[in-house]
Amino acid sequence: MTELQYIGKPARRVDALEKVMGKAKYIADRKLPGMLHARCLRSEAPHALIKKLDVTPALAVPGVRAVITSEDFFEHSLFGFPVKDEYVLAYRKVRYVGEAIAAVAADTPEAALAGVQAIVCELEPLPGVFDMEHALDPDAAQVGPDRPDDQHPNFLDLLIVRQADPLAEIEQCAVKLDERYSVGPQEHAYIEPEGALAVPTREGGVLVYAPNQSPFVNYGVLAMVLDLPHNLVRVIQPPVGGSFGGKDDQIYQMSAQVAKLALLTGKPVRLVYSREESLISSYKRDPMHIRIRLGADSDGTLRAVKFEGLMDSGAYASESTFTAWRGSIHAMGAYRYNACAVDIKCVYTNNGYYGAFRGFGNTEVCAGIEQAIDELACAVGMDPLDFRLKNCLHVGDRTAHGQILTESVGLPDCIKTVRRLSDWDRKRAAYANQTGNIRRGIGVAALYHGTSLGAEGADYAGSTIAVEQNYSIDLTSGLTDYGTGSRTVFTLIAAEELGVSPDRIHMQRPDTDTAIESGPTVASRSTMLGGNAARVAADNLRQTLDYAAADLLGCELHQLVRSGEAYVGPDEEPVAWERVVDHAREMGLALSAHGKWTAPRIEWDHHHGTGTPYMAYHFASQVAEVEVDMRTGVVQVVNFWAVHDPGKVIFPQGAYGQVYGGVAQGLGYALMEQITYTNGYLQETNFESYLIPTSVDVPEITAQFVEAPFSKGPYGAKNIAEPSMVPAAPAILNAIYHATGKRVRDLPANLERVLLGHDLAKGGSAKACKLGLKT
Amino acid sequence: MLIEFTLNYQPIAIEAPPDVTLLHLLRDHLNLTGAKEGCSVGECGACSVIMDGRLVNSCLVLAPQAHGSEIITIEGIHAPDGGPNDLQENFITYGAVQCGICIPGMVVAGEALLMRTLTPTRTEIRTALAGNLCRCTGYQQIVDAIEATAVQRRQAS
Ligand code: FES
Ligand code: FES
């Protein structure tokens, strides 16, 4: 391959300038003349029947222009994918505290709040389900929808992986482990609270600006619940102030609310959440209870695993069935086994609701399996890093799902590199047998993470590209950049393909009127799917330009070479790219193209738990070094090393940024981020109680990449955004064990758990939640 | 009531209710939306401005308290030609920007630190940013950008 000009070289993020100048207009920064302000009436009960809902008093409040309920939508606003069980506004029942029941549009935010307070809403409390372990008890209250089969209505799904009989295999093993772990919920805590702005159009349709992850999903939901033809709905993506999986369903609900209010009032309507409203009403990472059984030979050969997980989906399914599926696929970790069984069950409760969050099931299961592997290594008497190296997946290995890995497996190199960078062997020995009050420890975790959607669904993306009058290039994608840097990745790929400077390229944010539907922006799929689509589009355009250049230079296509942007023919006189463009125009050629890329078809057998779940995997190994104060239980992460195999790094500053940010989120998950529902009432309603890592909590991180290219990825690239977070928590927990000799098997490892080994009984009340909904 | 203060080096007088916060005065009354509202309780720093040389959370300052003070917001931080200054340029070069919602606050916090010292250690930079939450970057490239700017300004002075 000829030397790459832009891929993998330092680059400027395409939207960085407007952001550092404070000029980027996020949803809360957008104001339109005559714009109304919306506000929702929300449930103060975790589970109740809506006995009475009378909005007429609200309409009498000065400044209130419209009030809507589920009656204002098609099918009472039912939506949801893959399980259709959610409403834009609650219908007949509320299932969690904070669920939206009605929405008001008014001239001012104050009038909207007064309108909300004037609504007459009588809720008849129902018994709630607050413990997922009892969600399927025969007498548990029904939270989930009616089912056609004889399963409990609170049962949502069961995801399995099967290979041989692990319990029989473990029976024969010299070293066995049987342990329980748990992970708590986690809030996305994007610094930009959710919002949406709708503008009625002259044709009777609606234009929605929404910081959603997947504008085309929003577009589909809007057309459905508003009962409008698709051509009357348009969604435009403003800059998004962080998402991490969190700006899906919630934003679609908000978009539909403001869209309906805009249609009714004929005015633009904006809804922006307060932090309290965001925390109380939005979905979070699902909590999981885990039991893991493992068996190995005395020489450290790993033989079998049985993983059982119980996952809370909360009041609605949201993405939980997909999350649980990805969790099940990764539950055994990146190792070879003779036998494996995974069962992850998800259930409905009244504890808020749970959906997509970076790592999407893998973050949860990895926290369990990577501690269990550490414990088993200890029991065998092996260094945990050596144990991983001995058993981890290599090219040519067969995974527990029955998939042969034929290429792009950088895991052994990742583990070896992180060992060297972290000075593992010396520190591991130096920190053994400490006795002081302040103790250090070092821990490792390994990871694999399937690329893109895998067998979850149709996996494709599209891009358009066009040369404009001024010789700039317009590039679109149907996928959103919510901070990850994908717009820059697409720009660099298109520039490389076309042989033009990235400065020429204007990478647009998605607009459903101009971009091509590309599926959801999830699963760290942008680089591979959107990147390949941009590559195909740019390549199509380049072929046209090459043809024009050959005509202009009077030569054959194969005689063309490039010198910078210029084309050079046999006479060796460079011709500027603009001249080639002019010539193509004179020839009447269309200087626009589109590209579509579809992932290779793969199969997963849900009934038998075998198949090929993903086309390729990201691999990584991370090491954490901690300092534990034995008197207080305070854990400080003092060093961190992360070595990742993303196939190929396209945009280096962006890739490093993903790793640093992912590790920071994993650190929060491991040590401090605590979400508590007490009888369905959230206790942490703002950042003074929901603590996320600050600049003094996050250590200096050393990141490095091992590039094991994937033949179908653009320039060999796979994925990076989610995998960067996943192994951080277990690496930290394993380091705490190394420092203290005590295992904390429940996340987050807060002070009590580290110091005392158990939780302090804490009260909780409905107060913060009820107050949060009123301010 | 009439509130008079210096905003981004220009004197300004504006009529506003006494109970609005400085953040809302800036965003809703003056149309300066660079300072963001992330929590409204002084925890996130997205609303950071410089008030009389000190970094403050504008969501915790009542507008009348700004009377007679000198306020610098992100809109007042730029090169003489209106483009990015050296700190903003370094944020771009070092890849310190992701979603960007915290970034105006981070730039303001960085400037407030560099007004005090051009020899901050990385630990001091981290301490200076401790009131500014970022959920995307893990802070490292933000620290890189501020550190590089300190070195450049030191060399230039
Ligand atoms: S909005 Fe002021 S500190 Fe968060
Ligand atoms: S860049 Fe997203 S919060 Fe800092």
Side-chain angles (χ1 to χ4, degrees), chain B residues 23 36-47 57 59:
Chain B
L23 176 62
K36 308 298 179 193
E37 183 159 22
C39 70
S40 329
V41 295
E43 291 287 339
C44 76
C47 62
N57 291 323
C59 71

Side-chain angles (χ1 to χ4, degrees), chain A residues 191 241-242 244, chain B residues 96-103 106 133-137 142:
Chain A
I191 305 301
F244 319 109
Chain B
V97 180
Q98 288 190 32
C99 84
I101 197 83
C102 72
I103 293 298
M106 289 290 183
L133 296 177
C134 174
R135 191 54 157 168
C136 299
T137 65
I142 296 175

Side-chain angles (χ1 to χ4, degrees), chain A residues 286-554:
Chain A
D286 52 273
M288 197 186 279
H289 293 171
I290 296 167
R291 179 182 180 188
I292 297 174
R293 281 174 272 186
L294 287 170
D297 291 332
S298 48
D299 71 347
T301 304
L302 194 52
R303 284 178 54 183
V305 57
K306 183 165 172 67
F307 182 110
E308 291 157 284
L310 177 65
M311 188 176 126
D312 193 348
S313 180
Y316 293 102
S318 188
E319 297 290 305
S320 292
T321 57
F322 284 156
T323 313
W325 180 70
R326 185 178 277 271
S328 73
I329 298 302
H330 296 90
M332 71 298 292
Y335 305 101
R336 289 181 304 269
Y337 294 96
N338 296 337
C340 163
V342 178
D343 293 80
I344 297 182
K345 193 187 286 177
C346 28
V347 297
Y348 288 105
T349 69
N350 298 109
N351 297 321
Y353 77 120
Y354 301 107
F357 194 153
R358 194 178 203 166
F360 205 68
N362 196 8
T363 312
E364 295 84 320
V365 298
C366 187
I369 190 69
E370 280 300 310
Q371 288 190 78
I373 289 288
D374 229 64
E375 296 199 54
L376 188 68
C378 254
V380 169
M382 257 176 98
D383 176 280
L385 198 145
D386 283 327
F387 184 82
R388 285 174 173 84
L389 211 46
K390 180 180 172 77
N391 291 292
C392 77
L393 293 169
H394 291 64
V395 169
D397 281 345
R398 187 190 188 88
T399 68
H401 329 92
Q403 178 176 7
I404 309 279
L405 300 173
T406 54
E407 60 168 330
S408 190
V409 182
L411 184 54
D413 279 349
C414 289
I415 298 177
K416 287 177 202 155
T417 308
V418 86
R419 160 177 248 158
R420 179 170 50 76
L421 290 176
S422 63
D423 197 8
W424 172 269
D425 295 278
R426 187 187 66 76
K427 286 177 180 162
R428 196 74 196 171
Y431 301 155
N433 314 315
Q434 295 165 90
T435 50
N437 286 327
I438 308 286
R439 296 188 198 165
R440 286 223 170 183
I442 185 164
V444 65
L447 160 94
Y448 76 149
H449 190 85
T451 57
S452 199
L453 300 177
E456 259 175 47
D459 209 2
Y460 56 87
S463 226
T464 71
I465 194 162
V467 184
E468 301 299 321
Q469 282 307 322
N470 63 356
Y471 307 100
S472 69
I473 294 167
D474 253 21
L475 179 65
T476 75
S477 168
L479 299 175
T480 301
D481 182 344
Y482 32 87
T484 56
S486 58
R487 285 169 74 207
T488 308
V489 166
F490 302 158
T491 300
L492 296 174
I493 289 173
E496 191 74 52
E497 284 297 323
L498 279 171
V500 302
S501 161
D503 295 340
R504 273 194 198 277
I505 299 176
H506 296 290
M507 175 69 221
Q508 310 293 334
R509 292 194 189 88
D511 171 342
T512 55
D513 267 12
T514 56
I516 298 177
E517 200 271 320
S518 298
T521 319
V522 297
S524 309
R525 65 195 283 272
S526 292
T527 296
M528 197 190 298
L529 274 289
N532 264 330
R535 182 182 57 77
V536 173
D539 189 53
N540 287 341
L541 177 61
R542 188 188 50 76
Q543 288 182 29
T544 305
L545 288 166
D546 285 358
Y547 178 69
D551 189 69
L552 180 66
L553 295 167

Side-chain angles (χ1 to χ4, degrees), chain A residues 12-13 19-20 25-26 28-29 187-188 242 275 483 653 657 660-661 665 673 686 693 695 698 700-701, chain B residues 27 33 36 38-39 41 43 83 88-89 93 97-101 122 126 129-130 135-137 139-141:
Chain A
R12 289 168 76 88
R13 184 188 190 93
K19 289 175 175 174
V20 297
K25 293 279 180 220
Y26 297 85
D29 305 331
E187 160 68 20
H188 306 82
R275 178 59 55 187
Q653 292 107 315
Y660 301 145
Q665 276 185 3
E673 295 186 29
N686 205 323
S695 49
V698 182
E700 298 289 337
I701 298 161
Chain B
R27 289 181 57 85
T33 56
K36 308 298 179 193
C39 70
V41 295
E43 291 287 339
Q88 289 161 319
E89 193 57 49
T93 309
V97 180
Q98 288 190 32
C99 84
I101 197 83
R122 287 182 74 87
R126 285 181 179 273
L129 299 179
R135 191 54 157 168
C136 299
T137 65
Y139 305 101
Q140 189 147 321
Q141 290 153 307

